[in-house]
Amino acid sequence: MNSLPQISEAEFEIMKVVWKYAPINTNEITQRLTRTTTWSPKTIQTLIKRLVTKGALTYEKQSRVFVYTPLVKEQDYINQESHSFLKRFYGGNITAMLSAYIENGQLSEDELEKLRSLLSDSSRSER
C-alpha cells in the first residue's frame, strides 16, 4: 500500500467534510465546521492549506472561489490508520486487540453480536 499523508486530528475533521460533500468550496467548509467546532475561519483556512500542501486535497479556482476535492480516498486513509494502530499498539495481532477490548468491557452487546456475525459469515465463505 502506498503511504498516504499523515493527517492530524484537526485536519481529519476537514477531510471528513470534504469526503462527504466534495466538491466543496472554502466558504461551505467553513460554515459546516464553525457549527461543530470553536475554530475561527482563519484556522480552518490554515488547515485546508496544510492538507493541500500534504497532497491530501486539491483545488480548482472557480471565479473567486476555491473548490476542493480529496486526493486521498476515505477508505484508503481509514485502512492505513487502522493498520498503523493495530501494528503500533498490538504488534499487528488483531486477536490481542479484540481480546483487550472484550476483557475491558469496551464492546457493547450489539458490537459483540456484529463481530460474531462477521466471523460466522467469514467461516462459512471459506468452506
Side-chain angles (χ1 to χ4, degrees):
M1 168 179 10
N2 289 342
S3 186
L4 301 175
Q6 289 294 314
I7 296 174
S8 71
E9 288 294 319
E11 292 164 346
F12 185 65
E13 293 303 313
I14 303 282
M15 289 301 296
K16 288 192 297 190
V17 170
V18 176
W19 282 321
K20 187 170 185 177
Y21 300 104
I24 184 169
N25 70 45
T26 309
N27 292 336
E28 292 168 327
I29 295 170
T30 302
Q31 286 173 349
R32 291 189 179 283
L33 287 169
T34 54
R35 284 187 228 145
T36 59
T37 68
T38 58
W39 300 339
S40 71
K42 184 90 173 145
T43 298
I44 294 167
Q45 290 172 6
T46 298
L47 291 168
I48 292 169
K49 286 177 190 172
R50 285 185 195 165
L51 287 164
V52 169
T53 301
K54 289 180 177 186
L57 292 179
T58 188
Y59 66 91
E60 182 179 294
K61 191 169 184 184
Q62 295 179 356
S63 166
R64 295 181 354 178
V65 178
F66 289 94
V67 178
Y68 296 90
T69 54
L71 290 173
V72 172
K73 292 180 183 168
E74 182 176 18
Q75 194 58 53
D76 290 346
Y77 183 75
I78 290 170
N79 287 345
Q80 175 179 283
E81 289 301 300
S82 297
H83 180 73
S84 176
F85 173 84
L86 182 63
K87 189 173 180 182
R88 180 175 176 198
F89 292 103
Y90 297 97
N93 185 336
I94 196 159
T95 303
M97 182 189 80
L98 287 173
S99 294
Y101 274 79
I102 292 167
E103 289 169 9
N104 292 316
Q106 294 175 316
L107 296 177
S108 69
E109 278 303 315
D110 287 344
E111 291 169 323
L112 287 169
E113 191 53 44
K114 175 87 173 166
L115 282 172
R116 286 183 192 103
S117 177
L118 287 169
L119 291 169
S120 176
D121 291 348
S122 175
S123 67
R124 276 189 227 124
S125 67
E126 290 177 2
R127 294 180 192 160

